[in-house]
Amino acid sequence: MTTLQDVFAKAKAENRAALIGYLPAGFPSKEGAVKAAAAIVEAGCDVIEIGLPYSDPLMDGPTIQDAVHVALSQGTRIADVMRTVEGVAATGAATLVMTYWNPIDRYGADRFARDLASAGGTGTITPDLTPEEAEPWRVASAEAGIDTVFLVAPSSTPDRIKAVVDCCTGFVYAASLMGITGARDSVNAAAEGLVARTRAHTDLPVCVGLGIGNGRQAAEVAAYADGVIVGSAFIRLLLDAPDEASGLAAVRKLAAELAEGVRQR
Amino acid sequence: MAHDGTILTAADLAGNGTYGNDPDLRGKFGIFGGRYVPEALIPALDEVAQTYEKAKNDASFIREFDHLLRTYAGRPTTLTDVPRFSEEAGGARVILKREDLTHTGAHKINNVLGQALLTKRLGKKRVIAETGAGQHGVATATAAALMGLECVIYMGAVDCERQALNVARMKLLGATVVPVHNGSKTLKDAINEAFRDWVTNVDSTHYLFGTVAGPHPFPEIVRDFARIIGVEARRQMLELTGQLPTAVCAAVGGGSNAIGIFHAFIGDRDVQIHGYEAAGRGLESGEHALTLTAGSVGVLHGSRTYVLQDDEGQTIESHSISAGLDYPGVGPEHAWLKDSGRATYHGVTDDEAMAAFSLLARTEGIIPAIESSHALAGALKLGQELGPEATILVNLSGRGDKDMGTAMKYFGL
Ligand SMILES: Cc1ncc(COP(=O)(O)O)c(C=O)c1O
């Protein structure tokens, strides 16, 4: 199993940023999600975040909402998420689950952490779990040996950044902007400052996500961050593709462009 | 006691722990409440909490709020004895707290005026809100017009249709109404959309949350601004009947009108507290909003509380004939009151609510909101149990004008 530590050590040795891709489980279909992930890993993506489709994704923009809607209408369950993780981890990419808190809470924190570890998952990103409420998840994750990634935002004060990074293992997720997921025309200028402010409190890698969708933006972010996170741009291509084969070709092409970008720092 | 013709004291506003039941520093009522939100929103929630903490101990804030409640909202609202209606309630004496008589026609105006004043203190120029029945949207649009704030209201597309009159009112008041087409197209999805707006525009915008759910500090703030209902009603009951009621009843959607009337009675251990949720087409049908009665503990919209959810934590869509009760979550303080046993929650079906709606209209000449009709139907049942010696105080949270479309369809008028 490839760990986040392996990924960032390798990227550092190659003097580049890591490329992290996000795809929801069950989208465009249960098998399609693994195929799409495999395609972008083949094209140079280091880490895959598998999204756990949730009925009330209040941090997500229309693109991810649409994909999650597809996944849920096809009956995607947590067992499918675990199977997806297994399939993706087999490609050699470090594989995380990104999920809102309630599905873990309901499934049982210990059970979720154990099942994810057995599936070959290396950790989770939990965007609506704040340090105040994170204790049960940190304990369960430590027990199962998986990483816990939490988010800092442009609005975060130094105290908040400290509280968040103290809960993180693996890396810290810096949200580039105040807003929801979705590709944007340009990367928010606040992202660089946020990364610098975060580094003041931690030696963990700091990765930037939200609003990144092309090679130029990836290169721009790779100049100051340890990792570049891309989700909606991949999903948009899959949503717009007339069939599975062209969708896979499109995400492979984008992943190659982004992989190129993270190598141009 | 109130003074100088005012209706509100600092203690009235906040209760200040007098009645127990204030959340802890993390916004927890026991295991319920808290904050499950993107980190990006934490500073804004902190700012709201700190601004409110200052305001509630500031005499000038209390004076301003009091002034608006008296001269704009039309407080105090009266109590009304409903003897002809009571005949169907086992002869128990049913007394209504008339929030339907407030400006804009529902209890929502109390919270909205408080939070609109808070918005000014926050230095923000734009307010957003979710709405189900449209009453919170209308109240927010009203306060925004009064105070010169930009106003955007998120409303589920289904609700826009069944509460079309309120959509028109909001537009007339200068608000932008955004129909939400995601998910169940009702209140839950309107809240999701409002949160997305808030996290994007938080520098300029206050999220004027409409009920006692959501992340801390909303459950506490909305409760405190609605507390006046129970504070007044308690005094008025003592004046009118010489004693406290046997029971207090209210409908529960998110829970703001209910906590508003309950809170002043929580310390009165002999007073029963009953909340009525929407049982829709009945528990067995699966089409209901029985969050406290049939839900389980989880996290929805930033708060740990009872939720309608499946075995993997996916929210189950609720159903109610009343848009204002059509919500699969509930305020954390109600979850706490339920588990502590201090309050009891029951279901009232669409049909029972509509029967009570029609009964109150015909026996007393008062057309209630369908939301409030759930509490009326509850009082009818409770009266049968408690008997003729009992006095039952019901929060008539709103008037039924907005529900004429639904009533015309339901009764074939
Ligand atoms: C008249 C009326 N009563 C009750 C409610 C339910 O909300 P809550 O439970 O927060 O009082 C609404 C909500 O729109 C309403 O308009």
Side-chain angles (χ1 to χ4, degrees):
Chain A
M1 185 182 89
T2 311
T3 65
L4 291 171
Q5 288 71 19
D6 300 336
V7 168
F8 289 106
K10 178 160 176 262
K12 192 167 184 184
E14 294 171 10
N15 188 30
R16 64 171 176 95
L19 178 60
I20 302 171
Y22 167 95
L23 292 169
F27 172 80
S29 63
K30 288 179 190 174
E31 301 73 34
V34 179
K35 284 189 208 163
I40 64 180
V41 170
E42 236 176 69
C45 193
D46 304 286
V47 180
I48 297 289
E49 301 171 4
I50 294 299
L52 191 157
Y54 173 54
S55 52
D56 292 277
L58 61 75
M59 238 199 86
D60 287 306
T63 306
I64 293 183
Q65 285 177 47
D66 285 351
V68 161
H69 180 75
V70 169
L72 287 175
S73 2
Q74 292 175 1
T76 304
R77 307 246 319 156
I78 291 177
D80 300 308
V81 175
M82 297 298 175
R83 268 193 289 277
T84 308
V85 167
E86 214 163 63
V88 175
T91 66
T95 310
L96 300 160
V97 165
M98 180 148 185
T99 179
Y100 292 89
W101 174 242
N102 198 48
I104 299 185
D105 190 70
R106 184 79 172 141
Y107 192 83
D110 291 334
R111 177 176 165 223
F112 194 97
R114 268 197 317 271
D115 288 0
L116 180 57
S118 332
T122 69
T124 57
I125 306 172
T126 43
D128 63 346
L129 194 59
T130 54
E132 287 76 5
E133 306 293 348
E135 184 68 17
W137 184 233
R138 292 174 65 195
V139 171
S141 296
E143 188 82 11
I146 59 173
D147 286 315
T148 52
V149 176
F150 298 92
L151 280 74
V152 292
S155 59
S156 300
T157 59
D159 284 352
R160 291 302 303 181
I161 292 177
K162 177 151 184 7
V164 172
V165 302
D166 285 350
C167 296
C168 290
T169 67
F171 68 90
V172 181
Y173 190 134
S176 71
L177 50 80
M178 295 299 292
I180 52 180
T181 56
R184 307 285 201 283
D185 290 339
S186 61
V187 178
N188 187 21
E192 184 168 4
L194 175 61
V195 170
R197 290 192 288 130
T198 305
R199 290 201 197 285
H201 298 277
T202 182
D203 295 330
L204 285 171
V206 182
C207 303
V208 173
L210 296 196
I212 305 168
N214 60 41
R216 181 181 46 75
Q217 293 171 336
E220 184 188 328
V221 173
Y224 55 82
D226 301 298
V228 175
I229 305 170
V230 177
S232 297
F234 286 125
I235 293 163
R236 182 81 267 150
L237 294 173
L238 292 169
L239 282 167
D240 292 348
D243 53 57
E244 188 178 292
S246 47
L248 291 177
V251 294
R252 184 176 288 117
K253 182 159 170 267
L254 175 61
E257 176 188 329
L258 294 164
E260 186 61 42
V262 299
R263 283 165 174 81
Q264 285 172 16
R265 35 157 75 150
Chain B
M1 201 47 218
H3 49 81
D4 311 333
T6 61
I7 52 175
L8 195 70
T9 66
D12 293 341
L13 175 60
N16 285 330
T18 330
Y19 302 93
N21 228 36
D22 269 332
D24 68 16
L25 287 175
R26 286 180 184 180
K28 288 288 179 96
F29 298 89
I31 65 162
F32 300 107
R35 284 176 179 171
Y36 295 82
V37 293
E39 184 63 30
L41 285 177
I42 296 289
L45 291 168
D46 279 344
E47 188 190 18
V48 173
Q50 285 155 11
T51 306
Y52 174 63
E53 208 48 44
K54 264 194 223 137
K56 81 175 181 191
N57 296 307
D58 176 345
S60 74
F61 181 85
I62 293 165
R63 221 178 302 120
E64 267 182 287
F65 186 37
D66 177 88
H67 182 77
L68 284 175
L69 289 177
R70 278 184 297 112
T71 66
Y72 193 71
R75 302 209 74 88
T77 59
T78 190
L79 292 186
T80 301
D81 251 309
V82 285
R84 286 180 16 90
F85 180 83
S86 296
E87 286 172 20
E88 303 292 319
R93 182 176 178 185
V94 177
I95 297 172
L96 307 182
K97 176 63 173 166
R98 299 292 305 278
E99 292 304 293
D100 62 316
L101 296 179
T102 55
H103 178 45
T104 70
H107 70 288
K108 300 282 183 190
I109 193 73
N110 303 304
N111 164 50
V112 163
L113 290 174
Q115 282 200 57
L117 287 175
L118 215 53
T119 305
K120 288 210 289 188
R121 293 200 163 206
L122 287 159
K124 301 203 166 165
K125 301 272 183 284
R126 177 174 179 267
V127 288
I128 56 171
E130 82 294 347
T131 196
Q135 288 302 124
H136 177 59
V138 165
T140 304
T142 298
L146 177 69
M147 299 191 196
L149 302 166
E150 186 190 340
C151 178
V152 176
I153 304 294
Y154 292 94
M155 187 168 185
V158 168
D159 294 339
C160 286
E161 198 184 313
R162 59 180 159 173
Q163 310 279 214
L165 184 67
N166 273 345
V167 175
R169 290 170 80 194
M170 288 183 264
K171 288 183 177 164
L172 202 59
L173 290 160
T176 304
V177 180
V178 182
V180 177
H181 293 276
N182 308 327
S184 55
K185 304 181 174 52
T186 59
L187 183 55
K188 159 180 99 73
D189 310 285
I191 294 177
N192 290 341
E193 210 51 32
F195 268 111
R196 292 181 186 120
D197 179 319
W198 201 30
V199 73
T200 308
N201 300 299
V202 69
D203 281 346
S204 66
T205 301
H206 176 59
Y207 184 1
L208 210 158
F209 204 74
T211 190
V212 290
H216 175 67
F218 288 120
E220 183 184 0
I221 291 182
V222 177
R223 175 197 75 192
D224 287 355
F225 289 148
R227 255 183 60 82
I228 186 67
I229 303 168
V231 168
E232 274 178 18
R234 193 174 180 284
R235 284 178 199 144
Q236 292 167 322
M237 284 300 293
L238 290 172
E239 278 164 28
L240 179 69
T241 70
Q243 55 193 357
L244 293 172
T246 316
V248 182
C249 297
V252 181
S256 65
N257 88 85
I259 212 79
I261 198 161
F262 292 169
H263 202 250
F265 292 96
I266 288 174
D268 300 316
R269 292 286 149 178
D270 294 337
V271 177
Q272 298 181 22
I273 297 179
H274 296 276
Y276 296 91
E277 300 187 301
R281 301 199 172 94
L283 177 61
E284 282 73 36
S285 72
E287 294 182 49
H288 58 74
L290 294 170
T291 313
L292 288 161
T293 335
S296 52
V297 177
V299 170
L300 180 65
H301 293 143
S303 185
R304 176 176 293 280
T305 183
Y306 280 86
V307 180
L308 293 180
Q309 58 181 340
D310 71 10
D311 61 333
E312 296 203 335
Q314 306 288 351
T315 310
I316 295 173
E317 289 178 9
S318 53
H319 165 85
S320 169
I321 193 166
S322 73
L325 305 186
D326 197 348
Y327 180 55
V330 67
E333 190 166 357
H334 287 290
W336 192 87
L337 286 171
K338 172 192 155 82
D339 278 16
S340 71
R342 180 62 188 97
T344 315
Y345 297 86
H346 322 259
V348 164
T349 63
D350 289 350
D351 291 341
E352 290 170 325
M354 292 311 284
F357 174 91
S358 145
L359 183 68
L360 190 72
R362 285 164 182 257
T363 55
E364 302 288 348
I366 299 171
I367 301 177
I370 300 177
E371 289 78 12
S372 322
S373 302
H374 287 70
L376 291 166
L380 292 175
K381 291 198 251 189
L382 189 63
Q384 305 283 348
E385 282 169 35
L386 297 178
E389 299 305 309
T391 310
I392 301 176
L393 173 65
V394 178
N395 193 5
L396 197 73
S397 56
R399 66 177 88 128
D401 306 30
K402 70 184 176 58
D403 295 316
M404 283 308 114
T406 306
M408 284 163 72
K409 251 197 239 162
Y410 187 88
F411 295 111
L413 301 174

